[in-house]
Amino acid sequence: MNKTITTIIPFYNCGNVICGMLDSILAGTVLPNEILLINDGSTDNSVAVAESYANQYPFIKCITQEHSGVSTARNLGVKYATSNWISFLDADDYVENNFYECMINVVSDDSFAGSVCGYFTESNGMSTAYANPQAEIMDSDALLEAMFTNDNVRGFLVTRLFKTEIIKNISLNTNIHICEDLLFQTTLLTKYPDLKFACVNLPLYHYVQNNSSATTNLNLFNGAVFKYKPAFDEIRKLISKSYVDDNYNSILEYSMYCLLKEYKNGNKQVLPQIRGVQAELKTIQPTHSSKRRLAYIIAPIIFSHLSPS
């Protein structure tokens, strides 16, 4: 079995952090056969940093596109990938030194479509590990459900290794900007219901949470549209499972909690977003409706003391 790996790393104005990701890969016990750095129209020193690595390491290539978003960049990387396996990483994160060793060794034969590992979240100096997929091998249905229901798995592309021939003909939706990775994998797993993924019960990827995340800066709407809604609308076209609405409801409830917390701290500008989340909560019917959810629908300001589970 050919175990060559292409790593695809989109970047946009990441000159101050991309070295951390690249250095963590280069310190690995197993290195990818090629690293494709996709410059998404950066305006800082990111390109100079990326090209300095490309000049030093022949297997690193820097490719530039006009600023079009991470999904377009990942699609471009897949187009140029030459290895049998593909890994998608984010420029502002980093990996354990045994990341690729574990991910490639666990796919023991050609029957596997890929592998899945655990991860760390890094936030405000606190590291939290997630690594218990509850199975050594997951088929398409099991992985699909786990992405929506298991915090140890979730819908991250970065904790996956994919067989190239399987994903070459599936593109990321360039019109979706949040949960695009979840939608991509839902598309893959519904198109190919008999895939098999090996699980690595170790946290190997470090997901660095920063202040640009949607729930941190509380910019949760594009106009009147809740930012997560377009992806979930597309996902519902592919699968009709209760766990999809349950997951979407959890996102809405947590978003409401964050908005109400900000409102209580004196930021009255979030009131239109509170009303927007309130309206969106009314459009779905999760499996279980808690008192908190009911309170958020009826009078969120009054019940702003209620926290998410």
Side-chain angles (χ1 to χ4, degrees):
M1 182 179 67
N2 195 321
K3 292 190 174 184
T4 56
I5 301 170
T6 293
T7 300
I8 298 170
I9 308 176
F11 66 92
Y12 175 72
N13 291 352
C14 290
N16 61 330
V17 294
I18 193 172
C19 291
M21 171 54 83
L22 290 172
D23 289 344
S24 72
I25 297 171
L26 294 170
T29 53
V30 169
L31 299 181
N33 298 81
E34 65 178 354
I35 299 175
L36 302 181
L37 303 177
I38 313 297
N39 168 35
D40 185 29
S42 297
T43 58
D44 68 349
N45 67 331
S46 298
V47 178
V49 173
E51 289 181 345
S52 71
Y53 279 86
N55 291 333
Q56 187 175 357
Y57 300 95
F59 59 93
I60 299 180
K61 301 177 178 65
C62 186
I63 301 169
T64 293
Q65 67 175 26
E66 293 184 2
H67 184 48
S68 306
V70 65
S71 292
T72 301
R74 285 169 171 165
N75 288 338
L76 184 62
V78 172
K79 176 182 176 181
Y80 283 102
T82 62
S83 301
N84 293 83
W85 300 88
I86 286 178
S87 165
F88 298 98
L89 303 183
D90 287 343
D92 51 354
D93 298 328
Y94 60 99
V95 297
E96 291 285 296
N97 67 349
N98 59 340
F99 177 76
Y100 282 118
E101 179 183 3
C102 293
M103 294 294 277
I104 197 66
N105 284 346
V106 76
V107 287
S108 55
D109 57 57
D110 283 328
S111 67
F112 287 94
S115 54
V116 180
C117 72
Y119 61 97
F120 296 93
T121 57
E122 306 292 344
S123 179
N124 298 321
M126 180 177 296
S127 182
T128 306
Y130 296 86
N132 181 18
Q134 300 175 337
E136 293 184 0
I137 297 173
M138 287 193 286
D139 61 16
S140 293
D141 284 344
L143 179 55
L144 186 60
E145 182 172 355
M147 290 195 305
F148 292 92
T149 63
N150 189 338
D151 282 342
N152 296 302
V153 178
R154 299 184 70 177
F156 300 136
L157 278 178
V158 293
T159 57
R160 315 287 198 256
L161 191 65
F162 295 98
K163 187 177 285 186
T164 303
E165 65 185 48
I166 293 175
I167 65 170
K168 271 286 190 181
N169 297 319
I170 299 179
S171 298
L172 283 96
N173 188 326
T174 57
N175 295 318
I176 302 297
H177 305 294
I178 291 183
C179 290
E180 71 282 349
D181 43 2
L182 181 63
L183 173 59
F184 173 77
Q185 291 180 87
T186 301
T187 304
L188 172 70
L189 297 171
T190 53
K191 182 174 182 178
Y192 300 108
D194 299 319
L195 299 181
K196 184 172 69 171
F197 290 82
C199 301
V200 180
N201 190 18
L202 292 171
L204 300 176
Y205 189 90
H206 293 262
Y207 169 51
V208 180
Q209 298 176 321
N210 55 60
N211 291 332
S212 65
S213 65
T215 52
T216 300
N217 64 25
L218 297 178
N219 181 21
L220 296 169
F221 284 80
N222 283 323
V225 179
F226 185 60
K227 285 187 174 181
Y228 292 85
K229 177 178 169 60
F232 276 84
D233 284 348
E234 293 299 317
I235 288 168
R236 290 190 190 96
K237 295 176 184 178
L238 298 169
I239 54 174
S240 178
K241 297 287 187 179
S242 60
Y243 55 69
V244 175
D245 276 350
D246 288 346
N247 183 263
Y248 188 51
N249 180 73
S250 295
I251 293 171
L252 286 165
E253 287 193 25
Y254 182 71
S255 298
M256 180 67 87
Y257 167 73
C258 292
L259 290 167
L260 291 173
K261 184 177 179 181
E262 188 72 8
Y263 182 86
K264 286 180 66 178
N265 288 336
N267 183 2
K268 301 302 188 278
Q269 293 181 353
V270 299
L271 186 56
Q273 294 193 76
I274 291 173
R275 291 170 177 160
V277 173
Q278 180 185 27
E280 190 64 19
L281 279 166
K282 295 177 182 178
T283 67
I284 59 171
Q285 294 295 327
T287 305
H288 302 288
S289 185
S290 65
K291 292 181 179 179
R292 177 187 60 254
R293 171 182 158 80
L294 184 61
Y296 285 169
I297 289 174
I298 296 174
I301 299 299
I302 294 175
F303 295 101
S304 60
H305 63 284
L306 295 175
S307 62
S309 55

PDB file of all heavy atoms in Angstrom, residues 102-131:
ATOM      1  N   CYS A 102       1.082   8.187  13.463  1.00  0.00           N
ATOM      2  CA  CYS A 102      -0.112   7.490  13.944  1.00  0.00           C
ATOM      3  C   CYS A 102      -1.206   7.447  12.886  1.00  0.00           C
ATOM      4  O   CYS A 102      -1.869   6.415  12.695  1.00  0.00           O
ATOM      5  CB  CYS A 102      -0.644   8.175  15.204  1.00  0.00           C
ATOM      6  SG  CYS A 102       0.408   8.046  16.651  1.00  0.00           S
ATOM      7  N   MET A 103      -1.393   8.543  12.179  1.00  0.00           N
ATOM      8  CA  MET A 103      -2.492   8.630  11.218  1.00  0.00           C
ATOM      9  C   MET A 103      -2.303   7.701  10.027  1.00  0.00           C
ATOM     10  O   MET A 103      -3.270   7.116   9.525  1.00  0.00           O
ATOM     11  CB  MET A 103      -2.642  10.076  10.736  1.00  0.00           C
ATOM     12  CG  MET A 103      -3.083  11.047  11.818  1.00  0.00           C
ATOM     13  SD  MET A 103      -4.769  10.728  12.416  1.00  0.00           S
ATOM     14  CE  MET A 103      -5.734  11.580  11.173  1.00  0.00           C
ATOM     15  N   ILE A 104      -1.060   7.538   9.566  1.00  0.00           N
ATOM     16  CA  ILE A 104      -0.827   6.690   8.390  1.00  0.00           C
ATOM     17  C   ILE A 104      -0.652   5.227   8.779  1.00  0.00           C
ATOM     18  O   ILE A 104      -1.049   4.328   8.034  1.00  0.00           O
ATOM     19  CB  ILE A 104       0.392   7.189   7.576  1.00  0.00           C
ATOM     20  CG1 ILE A 104       0.376   6.579   6.179  1.00  0.00           C
ATOM     21  CG2 ILE A 104       1.695   6.921   8.298  1.00  0.00           C
ATOM     22  CD1 ILE A 104      -0.776   7.016   5.303  1.00  0.00           C
ATOM     23  N   ASN A 105      -0.095   4.951   9.945  1.00  0.00           N
ATOM     24  CA  ASN A 105       0.121   3.558  10.343  1.00  0.00           C
ATOM     25  C   ASN A 105      -1.177   2.828  10.653  1.00  0.00           C
ATOM     26  O   ASN A 105      -1.271   1.608  10.499  1.00  0.00           O
ATOM     27  CB  ASN A 105       1.054   3.485  11.554  1.00  0.00           C
ATOM     28  CG  ASN A 105       2.498   3.733  11.186  1.00  0.00           C
ATOM     29  OD1 ASN A 105       2.865   3.713  10.012  1.00  0.00           O
ATOM     30  ND2 ASN A 105       3.345   3.983  12.183  1.00  0.00           N
ATOM     31  N   VAL A 106      -2.202   3.562  11.098  1.00  0.00           N
ATOM     32  CA  VAL A 106      -3.447   2.915  11.497  1.00  0.00           C
ATOM     33  C   VAL A 106      -4.273   2.485  10.285  1.00  0.00           C
ATOM     34  O   VAL A 106      -5.141   1.627  10.402  1.00  0.00           O
ATOM     35  CB  VAL A 106      -4.245   3.844  12.433  1.00  0.00           C
ATOM     36  CG1 VAL A 106      -4.923   4.961  11.658  1.00  0.00           C
ATOM     37  CG2 VAL A 106      -5.246   3.070  13.256  1.00  0.00           C
ATOM     38  N   VAL A 107      -4.010   3.070   9.109  1.00  0.00           N
ATOM     39  CA  VAL A 107      -4.697   2.606   7.894  1.00  0.00           C
ATOM     40  C   VAL A 107      -3.869   1.449   7.331  1.00  0.00           C
ATOM     41  O   VAL A 107      -3.025   1.615   6.467  1.00  0.00           O
ATOM     42  CB  VAL A 107      -4.888   3.745   6.860  1.00  0.00           C
ATOM     43  CG1 VAL A 107      -5.968   4.692   7.329  1.00  0.00           C
ATOM     44  CG2 VAL A 107      -3.602   4.530   6.617  1.00  0.00           C
ATOM     45  N   SER A 108      -4.151   0.269   7.831  1.00  0.00           N
ATOM     46  CA  SER A 108      -3.280  -0.880   7.627  1.00  0.00           C
ATOM     47  C   SER A 108      -3.360  -1.506   6.245  1.00  0.00           C
ATOM     48  O   SER A 108      -2.480  -2.260   5.857  1.00  0.00           O
ATOM     49  CB  SER A 108      -3.596  -1.945   8.685  1.00  0.00           C
ATOM     50  OG  SER A 108      -4.974  -2.274   8.663  1.00  0.00           O
ATOM     51  N   ASP A 109      -4.433  -1.211   5.490  1.00  0.00           N
ATOM     52  CA  ASP A 109      -4.547  -1.773   4.145  1.00  0.00           C
ATOM     53  C   ASP A 109      -5.417  -0.862   3.290  1.00  0.00           C
ATOM     54  O   ASP A 109      -5.953   0.143   3.756  1.00  0.00           O
ATOM     55  CB  ASP A 109      -5.097  -3.201   4.180  1.00  0.00           C
ATOM     56  CG  ASP A 109      -6.456  -3.290   4.866  1.00  0.00           C
ATOM     57  OD1 ASP A 109      -7.391  -2.598   4.419  1.00  0.00           O
ATOM     58  OD2 ASP A 109      -6.576  -4.042   5.862  1.00  0.00           O
ATOM     59  N   ASP A 110      -5.580  -1.237   2.040  1.00  0.00           N
ATOM     60  CA  ASP A 110      -6.304  -0.385   1.085  1.00  0.00           C
ATOM     61  C   ASP A 110      -7.805  -0.332   1.314  1.00  0.00           C
ATOM     62  O   ASP A 110      -8.509   0.411   0.621  1.00  0.00           O
ATOM     63  CB  ASP A 110      -6.032  -0.871  -0.351  1.00  0.00           C
ATOM     64  CG  ASP A 110      -4.664  -0.448  -0.852  1.00  0.00           C
ATOM     65  OD1 ASP A 110      -4.213   0.634  -0.442  1.00  0.00           O
ATOM     66  OD2 ASP A 110      -4.056  -1.198  -1.628  1.00  0.00           O
ATOM     67  N   SER A 111      -8.306  -1.098   2.276  1.00  0.00           N
ATOM     68  CA  SER A 111      -9.752  -1.078   2.529  1.00  0.00           C
ATOM     69  C   SER A 111     -10.181   0.182   3.279  1.00  0.00           C
ATOM     70  O   SER A 111     -11.368   0.504   3.326  1.00  0.00           O
ATOM     71  CB  SER A 111     -10.170  -2.319   3.330  1.00  0.00           C
ATOM     72  OG  SER A 111      -9.635  -2.284   4.644  1.00  0.00           O
ATOM     73  N   PHE A 112      -9.210   0.899   3.855  1.00  0.00           N
ATOM     74  CA  PHE A 112      -9.537   2.093   4.632  1.00  0.00           C
ATOM     75  C   PHE A 112      -9.621   3.328   3.737  1.00  0.00           C
ATOM     76  O   PHE A 112      -8.804   3.514   2.835  1.00  0.00           O
ATOM     77  CB  PHE A 112      -8.496   2.332   5.731  1.00  0.00           C
ATOM     78  CG  PHE A 112      -8.593   1.375   6.872  1.00  0.00           C
ATOM     79  CD1 PHE A 112      -7.823   0.218   6.896  1.00  0.00           C
ATOM     80  CD2 PHE A 112      -9.462   1.610   7.926  1.00  0.00           C
ATOM     81  CE1 PHE A 112      -7.914  -0.680   7.949  1.00  0.00           C
ATOM     82  CE2 PHE A 112      -9.555   0.725   8.984  1.00  0.00           C
ATOM     83  CZ  PHE A 112      -8.787  -0.429   8.994  1.00  0.00           C
ATOM     84  N   ALA A 113     -10.610   4.172   4.031  1.00  0.00           N
ATOM     85  CA  ALA A 113     -10.764   5.441   3.315  1.00  0.00           C
ATOM     86  C   ALA A 113     -10.042   6.575   4.024  1.00  0.00           C
ATOM     87  O   ALA A 113      -9.862   7.658   3.453  1.00  0.00           O
ATOM     88  CB  ALA A 113     -12.232   5.794   3.173  1.00  0.00           C
ATOM     89  N   GLY A 114      -9.628   6.334   5.269  1.00  0.00           N
ATOM     90  CA  GLY A 114      -8.941   7.377   6.010  1.00  0.00           C
ATOM     91  C   GLY A 114      -8.826   7.054   7.475  1.00  0.00           C
ATOM     92  O   GLY A 114      -9.144   5.938   7.917  1.00  0.00           O
ATOM     93  N   SER A 115      -8.370   8.034   8.229  1.00  0.00           N
ATOM     94  CA  SER A 115      -8.223   7.862   9.670  1.00  0.00           C
ATOM     95  C   SER A 115      -8.681   9.126  10.387  1.00  0.00           C
ATOM     96  O   SER A 115      -8.764  10.208   9.810  1.00  0.00           O
ATOM     97  CB  SER A 115      -6.773   7.534  10.040  1.00  0.00           C
ATOM     98  OG  SER A 115      -5.869   8.499   9.526  1.00  0.00           O
ATOM     99  N   VAL A 116      -8.978   8.955  11.683  1.00  0.00           N
ATOM    100  CA  VAL A 116      -9.523  10.021  12.531  1.00  0.00           C
ATOM    101  C   VAL A 116      -8.765  10.017  13.849  1.00  0.00           C
ATOM    102  O   VAL A 116      -8.575   8.950  14.448  1.00  0.00           O
ATOM    103  CB  VAL A 116     -11.024   9.800  12.810  1.00  0.00           C
ATOM    104  CG1 VAL A 116     -11.582  10.914  13.681  1.00  0.00           C
ATOM    105  CG2 VAL A 116     -11.809   9.662  11.515  1.00  0.00           C
ATOM    106  N   CYS A 117      -8.334  11.174  14.312  1.00  0.00           N
ATOM    107  CA  CYS A 117      -7.644  11.237  15.601  1.00  0.00           C
ATOM    108  C   CYS A 117      -8.342  12.223  16.527  1.00  0.00           C
ATOM    109  O   CYS A 117      -9.244  12.970  16.124  1.00  0.00           O
ATOM    110  CB  CYS A 117      -6.178  11.634  15.421  1.00  0.00           C
ATOM    111  SG  CYS A 117      -5.909  13.368  14.974  1.00  0.00           S
ATOM    112  N   GLY A 118      -7.903  12.246  17.777  1.00  0.00           N
ATOM    113  CA  GLY A 118      -8.399  13.213  18.734  1.00  0.00           C
ATOM    114  C   GLY A 118      -7.657  14.531  18.621  1.00  0.00           C
ATOM    115  O   GLY A 118      -6.772  14.700  17.777  1.00  0.00           O
ATOM    116  N   TYR A 119      -7.976  15.456  19.514  1.00  0.00           N
ATOM    117  CA  TYR A 119      -7.410  16.803  19.397  1.00  0.00           C
ATOM    118  C   TYR A 119      -7.384  17.474  20.756  1.00  0.00           C
ATOM    119  O   TYR A 119      -7.996  17.019  21.729  1.00  0.00           O
ATOM    120  CB  TYR A 119      -8.236  17.640  18.417  1.00  0.00           C
ATOM    121  CG  TYR A 119      -9.680  17.832  18.841  1.00  0.00           C
ATOM    122  CD1 TYR A 119     -10.095  18.979  19.517  1.00  0.00           C
ATOM    123  CD2 TYR A 119     -10.637  16.850  18.590  1.00  0.00           C
ATOM    124  CE1 TYR A 119     -11.407  19.147  19.920  1.00  0.00           C
ATOM    125  CE2 TYR A 119     -11.955  17.009  18.985  1.00  0.00           C
ATOM    126  CZ  TYR A 119     -12.337  18.158  19.648  1.00  0.00           C
ATOM    127  OH  TYR A 119     -13.643  18.309  20.059  1.00  0.00           O
ATOM    128  N   PHE A 120      -6.639  18.570  20.823  1.00  0.00           N
ATOM    129  CA  PHE A 120      -6.648  19.475  21.970  1.00  0.00           C
ATOM    130  C   PHE A 120      -7.283  20.797  21.541  1.00  0.00           C
ATOM    131  O   PHE A 120      -7.085  21.243  20.414  1.00  0.00           O
ATOM    132  CB  PHE A 120      -5.223  19.803  22.437  1.00  0.00           C
ATOM    133  CG  PHE A 120      -4.418  18.645  22.949  1.00  0.00           C
ATOM    134  CD1 PHE A 120      -3.587  17.933  22.087  1.00  0.00           C
ATOM    135  CD2 PHE A 120      -4.453  18.284  24.290  1.00  0.00           C
ATOM    136  CE1 PHE A 120      -2.807  16.883  22.559  1.00  0.00           C
ATOM    137  CE2 PHE A 120      -3.679  17.235  24.774  1.00  0.00           C
ATOM    138  CZ  PHE A 120      -2.856  16.529  23.903  1.00  0.00           C
ATOM    139  N   THR A 121      -8.042  21.417  22.428  1.00  0.00           N
ATOM    140  CA  THR A 121      -8.389  22.821  22.235  1.00  0.00           C
ATOM    141  C   THR A 121      -7.455  23.646  23.104  1.00  0.00           C
ATOM    142  O   THR A 121      -7.185  23.300  24.262  1.00  0.00           O
ATOM    143  CB  THR A 121      -9.847  23.123  22.611  1.00  0.00           C
ATOM    144  OG1 THR A 121     -10.089  22.736  23.979  1.00  0.00           O
ATOM    145  CG2 THR A 121     -10.808  22.374  21.691  1.00  0.00           C
ATOM    146  N   GLU A 122      -6.933  24.725  22.536  1.00  0.00           N
ATOM    147  CA  GLU A 122      -6.014  25.611  23.246  1.00  0.00           C
ATOM    148  C   GLU A 122      -6.682  26.982  23.361  1.00  0.00           C
ATOM    149  O   GLU A 122      -6.891  27.664  22.362  1.00  0.00           O
ATOM    150  CB  GLU A 122      -4.694  25.736  22.483  1.00  0.00           C
ATOM    151  CG  GLU A 122      -4.007  24.406  22.151  1.00  0.00           C
ATOM    152  CD  GLU A 122      -3.479  23.691  23.378  1.00  0.00           C
ATOM    153  OE1 GLU A 122      -3.356  24.344  24.445  1.00  0.00           O
ATOM    154  OE2 GLU A 122      -3.178  22.496  23.279  1.00  0.00           O
ATOM    155  N   SER A 123      -7.057  27.364  24.575  1.00  0.00           N
ATOM    156  CA  SER A 123      -7.776  28.618  24.780  1.00  0.00           C
ATOM    157  C   SER A 123      -7.346  29.278  26.079  1.00  0.00           C
ATOM    158  O   SER A 123      -7.430  28.659  27.147  1.00  0.00           O
ATOM    159  CB  SER A 123      -9.289  28.355  24.802  1.00  0.00           C
ATOM    160  OG  SER A 123     -10.009  29.542  25.019  1.00  0.00           O
ATOM    161  N   ASN A 124      -6.858  30.497  25.973  1.00  0.00           N
ATOM    162  CA  ASN A 124      -6.468  31.286  27.158  1.00  0.00           C
ATOM    163  C   ASN A 124      -5.506  30.522  28.058  1.00  0.00           C
ATOM    164  O   ASN A 124      -5.644  30.529  29.283  1.00  0.00           O
ATOM    165  CB  ASN A 124      -7.714  31.699  27.948  1.00  0.00           C
ATOM    166  CG  ASN A 124      -8.647  32.577  27.142  1.00  0.00           C
ATOM    167  OD1 ASN A 124      -8.207  33.440  26.392  1.00  0.00           O
ATOM    168  ND2 ASN A 124      -9.946  32.344  27.287  1.00  0.00           N
ATOM    169  N   GLY A 125      -4.545  29.855  27.458  1.00  0.00           N
ATOM    170  CA  GLY A 125      -3.545  29.123  28.209  1.00  0.00           C
ATOM    171  C   GLY A 125      -4.003  27.784  28.751  1.00  0.00           C
ATOM    172  O   GLY A 125      -3.252  27.102  29.451  1.00  0.00           O
ATOM    173  N   MET A 126      -5.229  27.383  28.448  1.00  0.00           N
ATOM    174  CA  MET A 126      -5.765  26.110  28.932  1.00  0.00           C
ATOM    175  C   MET A 126      -5.864  25.114  27.781  1.00  0.00           C
ATOM    176  O   MET A 126      -6.435  25.421  26.728  1.00  0.00           O
ATOM    177  CB  MET A 126      -7.141  26.312  29.570  1.00  0.00           C
ATOM    178  CG  MET A 126      -7.768  25.020  30.100  1.00  0.00           C
ATOM    179  SD  MET A 126      -9.358  25.299  30.923  1.00  0.00           S
ATOM    180  CE  MET A 126      -8.837  26.306  32.316  1.00  0.00           C
ATOM    181  N   SER A 127      -5.325  23.934  27.998  1.00  0.00           N
ATOM    182  CA  SER A 127      -5.354  22.873  26.991  1.00  0.00           C
ATOM    183  C   SER A 127      -6.319  21.778  27.439  1.00  0.00           C
ATOM    184  O   SER A 127      -6.222  21.270  28.554  1.00  0.00           O
ATOM    185  CB  SER A 127      -3.948  22.281  26.804  1.00  0.00           C
ATOM    186  OG  SER A 127      -3.947  21.283  25.814  1.00  0.00           O
ATOM    187  N   THR A 128      -7.271  21.438  26.569  1.00  0.00           N
ATOM    188  CA  THR A 128      -8.265  20.412  26.870  1.00  0.00           C
ATOM    189  C   THR A 128      -8.193  19.322  25.813  1.00  0.00           C
ATOM    190  O   THR A 128      -8.260  19.612  24.619  1.00  0.00           O
ATOM    191  CB  THR A 128      -9.687  21.001  26.900  1.00  0.00           C
ATOM    192  OG1 THR A 128      -9.719  22.103  27.813  1.00  0.00           O
ATOM    193  CG2 THR A 128     -10.698  19.946  27.339  1.00  0.00           C
ATOM    194  N   ALA A 129      -8.061  18.067  26.261  1.00  0.00           N
ATOM    195  CA  ALA A 129      -7.916  16.944  25.331  1.00  0.00           C
ATOM    196  C   ALA A 129      -9.257  16.291  25.040  1.00  0.00           C
ATOM    197  O   ALA A 129     -10.098  16.127  25.927  1.00  0.00           O
ATOM    198  CB  ALA A 129      -6.956  15.912  25.913  1.00  0.00           C
ATOM    199  N   TYR A 130      -9.455  15.906  23.780  1.00  0.00           N
ATOM    200  CA  TYR A 130     -10.628  15.156  23.335  1.00  0.00           C
ATOM    201  C   TYR A 130     -10.132  13.965  22.525  1.00  0.00           C
ATOM    202  O   TYR A 130      -9.577  14.145  21.441  1.00  0.00           O
ATOM    203  CB  TYR A 130     -11.535  16.024  22.465  1.00  0.00           C
ATOM    204  CG  TYR A 130     -12.133  17.211  23.182  1.00  0.00           C
ATOM    205  CD1 TYR A 130     -11.438  18.415  23.269  1.00  0.00           C
ATOM    206  CD2 TYR A 130     -13.393  17.128  23.763  1.00  0.00           C
ATOM    207  CE1 TYR A 130     -11.995  19.504  23.922  1.00  0.00           C
ATOM    208  CE2 TYR A 130     -13.963  18.215  24.420  1.00  0.00           C
ATOM    209  CZ  TYR A 130     -13.248  19.396  24.494  1.00  0.00           C
ATOM    210  OH  TYR A 130     -13.797  20.472  25.146  1.00  0.00           O
ATOM    211  N   ALA A 131     -10.333  12.774  23.042  1.00  0.00           N
ATOM    212  CA  ALA A 131      -9.836  11.595  22.326  1.00  0.00           C
ATOM    213  C   ALA A 131     -10.481  10.322  22.838  1.00  0.00           C
ATOM    214  O   ALA A 131      -9.883   9.555  23.581  1.00  0.00           O
ATOM    215  CB  ALA A 131      -8.319  11.483  22.458  1.00  0.00           C
TER     216      ALA A 131
END
